[in-house]
Amino acid sequence: MRTIKQIHKSEYRPIADLVTYSPMPTRTLNQIDPFIFLNHHGFQVYPPQNQGLPFGPHPHRGMETVTFIVAGDIVHKDSGGHESVITAGGVQYMTAGRGLIHAEVSSSEFKKNGGDLEILQLWLNLPASKKMTEPRYLGLQEDEINHFDLNGGNLKVQQLFGEWDKVNGSFEPSFPITMSTIYFKPGGKISKSIPADENIFCYVVRGAININGTEVNLRHLVEFKNDGTEITFEALEDSILIFGHALPFNEPMVAQGPFVMNTEQQIREAYQDYQSGKFGTWNQ
């Protein structure tokens, strides 16, 4: 059985009026290579006539984002010409690669009417060989994502990357990775075998889950040692878990603001390229 190294509680880091918790990076955890950053926005209820999400146009290079919409919606627009509105249960996957500008805001309907909001964004590193790849984006609604049930219907699995139970992920990753969103009913149980040399990303979004004999509550991230293969889950209540695993890159990483590269010089080049317009043109 895989040993739990440490359970990390998310730190409260509000952004304007947006409730935000972050379990990585924190004072106790820098990254779980190649999983490098997670923000958990909400849960909160927005009133009518609100300003919505505050993430206007900003650049990225050298990394990817996976955005989980648990409640509410999110409008994506980028300098590559991609635009979509993804609602609850949907997921967005963006590869920044060599560089792009994007915005993540709320729909006009949400800003007018308000409502529940809970959104998570996970950053994945890119290997050095893929840092300058062509940017891309795909947003899928809940009913467009491959899914299946386990444990007699007590678990619903959204398969995002890689394969599980002969179901392929709905997104084509930039490097080998497996990732799922798992929705548990109380008492739902599952065991998984993960190669010992792969790093695991395991975050409880909602509820409480017994993981390898230890109770883990919402807004906690589980860091595992690389010493075993088996992981067991048993939900103590209705719960949502983001679960992924991949081989670590074991490469130097320099992260500054919206850029994630391998050297300080590459970070300086990213700022220079952005300021000189090489990330594309932003059209309102």
Side-chain angles (χ1 to χ4, degrees):
M1 185 172 286
R2 183 78 73 109
T3 303
I4 293 176
K5 180 179 180 180
Q6 190 171 348
I7 298 173
H8 300 272
K9 182 179 180 180
S10 298
E11 296 181 356
Y12 181 52
R13 300 174 182 168
I15 303 171
D17 63 349
L18 179 62
V19 171
T20 301
Y21 297 86
S22 180
M24 184 176 69
T26 63
R27 290 165 289 182
T28 62
L29 179 65
N30 183 33
Q31 63 166 317
I32 300 177
D33 184 8
F35 308 93
I36 58 176
F37 174 93
L38 179 68
N39 263 352
H40 183 170
H41 307 296
F43 176 83
Q44 68 190 99
V45 180
Y46 270 77
Q49 308 302 324
N50 65 81
Q51 297 300 309
L53 295 169
F55 306 113
H58 59 280
H60 283 294
R61 173 179 278 183
M63 38 69 73
E64 303 186 306
T65 61
V66 186
T67 307
F68 306 81
I69 300 86
V70 180
D73 66 28
I74 188 169
V75 178
H76 171 98
K77 183 178 181 181
D78 65 46
S79 55
H82 305 106
E83 189 169 355
S84 69
V85 181
I86 303 298
T87 57
V91 175
Q92 299 175 327
Y93 174 46
M94 183 189 79
T95 301
R98 61 176 175 77
L100 86 171
I101 303 167
H102 80 149
E104 298 159 305
V105 296
S106 300
S107 69
S108 56
E109 180 181 2
F110 184 87
K111 288 188 284 188
K112 177 183 177 181
N113 299 322
D116 296 348
L117 185 136
E118 187 169 15
I119 292 172
L120 298 93
Q121 185 167 95
L122 171 67
W123 289 16
L124 304 175
N125 199 2
L126 280 170
S129 61
K130 299 284 185 71
K131 288 288 188 189
M132 299 297 283
T133 193
E134 189 71 17
R136 59 183 178 138
Y137 167 82
L138 178 62
L140 296 176
Q141 306 290 3
E142 181 178 22
D143 61 3
E144 298 174 315
I145 299 173
N146 295 339
H147 63 274
F148 57 96
D149 292 334
L150 291 172
N151 191 216
N154 285 323
L155 281 79
K156 174 187 173 182
V157 178
Q158 280 188 325
Q159 194 60 18
L160 308 179
F161 302 111
E163 182 267 339
W164 183 3
D165 203 34
K166 299 181 180 180
V167 176
N168 291 319
S170 294
F171 299 93
E172 185 65 35
S174 299
F175 58 89
I177 182 174
T178 301
M179 181 175 289
S180 314
T181 311
I182 310 173
Y183 298 82
F184 292 84
K185 294 180 180 178
K189 299 179 182 179
I190 188 66
S191 294
K192 277 189 71 66
S193 180
I194 309 298
D197 57 350
E198 294 192 9
N199 285 349
I200 291 172
F201 179 85
C202 181
Y203 181 74
V204 179
V205 179
R206 287 187 179 181
I209 305 172
N210 190 309
I211 301 176
N212 281 6
T214 299
E215 181 177 333
V216 183
N217 294 299
L218 79 164
R219 302 196 190 104
H220 284 75
L221 184 148
V222 183
E223 181 186 9
F224 289 92
K225 295 181 180 179
N226 293 85
D227 63 349
T229 59
E230 294 299 315
I231 302 179
T232 62
F233 305 94
E234 181 176 359
L236 305 176
E237 55 189 85
D238 287 325
S239 302
I240 302 174
L241 178 76
I242 299 174
F243 186 81
H245 51 95
L247 287 170
F249 298 159
N250 294 319
E251 296 175 343
M253 186 185 82
V254 180
Q256 187 172 322
F259 306 132
V260 182
M261 303 302 290
N262 300 108
T263 68
E264 294 282 357
Q265 176 60 30
Q266 290 171 341
I267 292 291
R268 288 191 290 269
E269 291 170 356
Y271 278 104
Q272 291 167 1
D273 289 348
Y274 168 58
Q275 290 164 1
S276 64
K278 292 183 179 180
F279 282 27
T281 303
W282 183 258
N283 297 312
Q284 294 293 336

Coordinates of all heavy atoms in Angstrom, one line a residue, residues 180-209:
S180 N -8.5 12.0 -13.4 CA -9.9 11.8 -13.3 C -10.5 12.7 -12.3 O -9.9 13.1 -11.3 CB -10.3 10.3 -12.9 OG -9.5 9.4 -13.6
T181 N -11.8 13.0 -12.5 CA -12.6 13.6 -11.4 C -13.6 12.5 -10.9 O -14.3 11.9 -11.8 CB -13.4 14.8 -11.9 OG1 -12.6 15.7 -12.6 CG2 -14.1 15.6 -10.7
I182 N -13.6 12.2 -9.6 CA -14.4 11.1 -9.1 C -15.4 11.7 -8.2 O -15.1 12.4 -7.2 CB -13.5 10.1 -8.4 CG1 -12.3 9.7 -9.2 CG2 -14.3 8.9 -8.0 CD1 -11.3 8.8 -8.5
Y183 N -16.7 11.3 -8.4 CA -17.8 11.7 -7.6 C -18.3 10.5 -6.8 O -18.7 9.5 -7.4 CB -18.9 12.2 -8.5 CG -18.6 13.5 -9.3 CD1 -17.9 13.4 -10.5 CD2 -18.9 14.7 -8.9 CE1 -17.5 14.5 -11.3 CE2 -18.6 15.9 -9.6 CZ -17.9 15.7 -10.8 OH -17.6 16.8 -11.5
F184 N -18.2 10.6 -5.5 CA -18.5 9.5 -4.6 C -19.9 9.8 -3.9 O -20.2 10.9 -3.5 CB -17.5 9.4 -3.4 CG -16.1 9.0 -3.8 CD1 -15.2 9.9 -4.3 CD2 -15.7 7.7 -3.7 CE1 -13.9 9.5 -4.6 CE2 -14.5 7.3 -4.0 CZ -13.5 8.2 -4.5
K185 N -20.7 8.7 -3.8 CA -21.8 8.7 -2.9 C -21.3 8.1 -1.6 O -20.3 7.4 -1.5 CB -22.9 7.8 -3.5 CG -23.6 8.3 -4.7 CD -24.7 7.4 -5.2 CE -25.3 8.0 -6.5 NZ -26.4 7.1 -7.0
P186 N -22.0 8.4 -0.5 CA -21.5 7.8 0.8 C -21.3 6.3 0.8 O -22.2 5.6 0.3 CB -22.7 8.2 1.8 CG -23.3 9.4 1.1 CD -23.2 9.2 -0.3
G187 N -20.2 5.9 1.3 CA -19.9 4.5 1.3 C -19.3 3.9 0.0 O -18.9 2.8 -0.1
G188 N -19.2 4.8 -1.0 CA -18.5 4.4 -2.2 C -17.1 4.0 -2.0 O -16.3 4.7 -1.4
K189 N -16.7 2.9 -2.6 CA -15.3 2.3 -2.4 C -14.7 2.0 -3.7 O -15.3 1.6 -4.7 CB -15.4 1.1 -1.5 CG -15.9 1.2 -0.2 CD -15.9 -0.2 0.5 CE -16.6 -0.1 1.9 NZ -16.5 -1.4 2.6
I190 N -13.3 2.2 -3.7 CA -12.6 1.9 -4.9 C -11.1 1.7 -4.5 O -10.6 2.3 -3.6 CB -12.7 3.0 -6.0 CG1 -12.0 2.5 -7.3 CG2 -12.1 4.3 -5.5 CD1 -12.7 1.3 -8.0
S191 N -10.4 0.8 -5.2 CA -9.0 0.6 -5.0 C -8.3 0.8 -6.4 O -8.9 0.4 -7.4 CB -8.6 -0.8 -4.5 OG -9.1 -0.9 -3.2
K192 N -7.1 1.5 -6.4 CA -6.4 1.6 -7.6 C -4.9 1.3 -7.4 O -4.4 1.5 -6.3 CB -6.5 3.1 -8.1 CG -7.7 3.4 -8.9 CD -7.6 4.8 -9.5 CE -6.6 4.8 -10.7 NZ -7.0 4.0 -11.8
S193 N -4.3 0.7 -8.4 CA -2.9 0.4 -8.4 C -2.1 1.4 -9.3 O -2.4 1.5 -10.5 CB -2.7 -1.0 -8.8 OG -1.3 -1.4 -8.8
I194 N -1.2 2.1 -8.7 CA -0.4 3.1 -9.4 C 1.0 2.7 -9.3 O 1.6 2.4 -8.3 CB -0.6 4.5 -8.7 CG1 -2.1 4.9 -8.5 CG2 0.1 5.6 -9.5 CD1 -2.9 4.9 -9.8
P195 N 1.7 2.8 -10.5 CA 3.2 2.4 -10.5 C 3.9 3.3 -9.4 O 3.7 4.5 -9.3 CB 3.6 2.8 -11.9 CG 2.4 2.6 -12.7 CD 1.3 3.1 -11.8
A196 N 4.8 2.6 -8.7 CA 5.5 3.3 -7.5 C 6.3 4.5 -8.0 O 6.6 5.4 -7.2 CB 6.3 2.3 -6.8
D197 N 6.8 4.5 -9.2 CA 7.7 5.6 -9.7 C 6.9 6.8 -10.2 O 7.5 7.8 -10.5 CB 8.6 5.1 -10.7 CG 8.0 4.5 -12.0 OD1 6.7 4.3 -11.9 OD2 8.7 4.2 -13.0
E198 N 5.6 6.7 -10.2 CA 4.7 7.8 -10.6 C 4.3 8.7 -9.4 O 4.0 8.1 -8.3 CB 3.5 7.4 -11.4 CG 3.9 6.7 -12.7 CD 2.7 6.5 -13.6 OE1 1.6 7.0 -13.3 OE2 2.8 5.9 -14.7
N199 N 4.3 10.0 -9.6 CA 3.8 10.9 -8.5 C 2.3 11.0 -8.6 O 1.8 11.0 -9.7 CB 4.5 12.3 -8.6 CG 5.9 12.3 -8.2 OD1 6.4 11.3 -7.6 ND2 6.6 13.4 -8.5
I200 N 1.7 11.2 -7.5 CA 0.2 11.2 -7.4 C -0.3 12.6 -7.0 O 0.3 13.2 -6.0 CB -0.3 10.1 -6.4 CG1 0.0 8.7 -7.0 CG2 -1.7 10.3 -6.1 CD1 -0.3 7.6 -6.0
F201 N -1.3 13.0 -7.6 CA -2.0 14.2 -7.2 C -3.4 13.8 -6.7 O -4.2 13.2 -7.4 CB -2.2 15.2 -8.4 CG -3.0 16.4 -8.1 CD1 -2.3 17.5 -7.5 CD2 -4.3 16.5 -8.3 CE1 -3.0 18.7 -7.1 CE2 -5.0 17.7 -7.9 CZ -4.4 18.7 -7.3
C202 N -3.7 14.1 -5.5 CA -4.9 13.6 -4.8 C -5.5 14.8 -4.0 O -4.9 15.1 -2.9 CB -4.6 12.4 -4.0 SG -6.0 11.6 -3.1
Y203 N -6.6 15.4 -4.4 CA -7.2 16.5 -3.7 C -8.7 16.3 -3.5 O -9.4 16.1 -4.4 CB -6.9 17.8 -4.5 CG -7.5 19.0 -3.9 CD1 -6.8 19.6 -2.8 CD2 -8.6 19.7 -4.3 CE1 -7.3 20.7 -2.1 CE2 -9.1 20.8 -3.7 CZ -8.4 21.3 -2.6 OH -8.9 22.5 -2.0
V204 N -9.1 16.5 -2.2 CA -10.5 16.4 -1.9 C -11.2 17.7 -2.1 O -10.9 18.7 -1.3 CB -10.7 15.8 -0.5 CG1 -12.2 15.7 -0.2 CG2 -10.0 14.5 -0.3
V205 N -12.1 17.8 -3.1 CA -12.8 19.1 -3.4 C -13.9 19.3 -2.4 O -14.1 20.4 -1.9 CB -13.3 19.0 -4.8 CG1 -14.0 20.3 -5.2 CG2 -12.1 18.8 -5.8
R206 N -14.7 18.2 -2.2 CA -15.9 18.3 -1.4 C -15.9 17.0 -0.6 O -15.5 15.9 -1.0 CB -17.2 18.5 -2.1 CG -17.4 19.8 -2.8 CD -18.8 19.9 -3.4 NE -19.1 21.2 -4.0 CZ -20.2 21.5 -4.5 NH1 -21.2 20.6 -4.6 NH2 -20.4 22.7 -5.1
G207 N -16.5 17.1 0.6 CA -16.8 15.9 1.4 C -15.7 15.4 2.3 O -14.8 16.2 2.7
A208 N -15.7 14.1 2.5 CA -14.6 13.5 3.3 C -14.4 12.0 2.8 O -15.4 11.3 2.6 CB -15.0 13.5 4.8
I209 N -13.2 11.6 2.7 CA -12.9 10.3 2.1 C -11.8 9.7 3.0 O -10.8 10.3 3.3 CB -12.4 10.5 0.7 CG1 -13.4 11.2 -0.2 CG2 -12.1 9.1 0.1 CD1 -12.8 11.6 -1.6

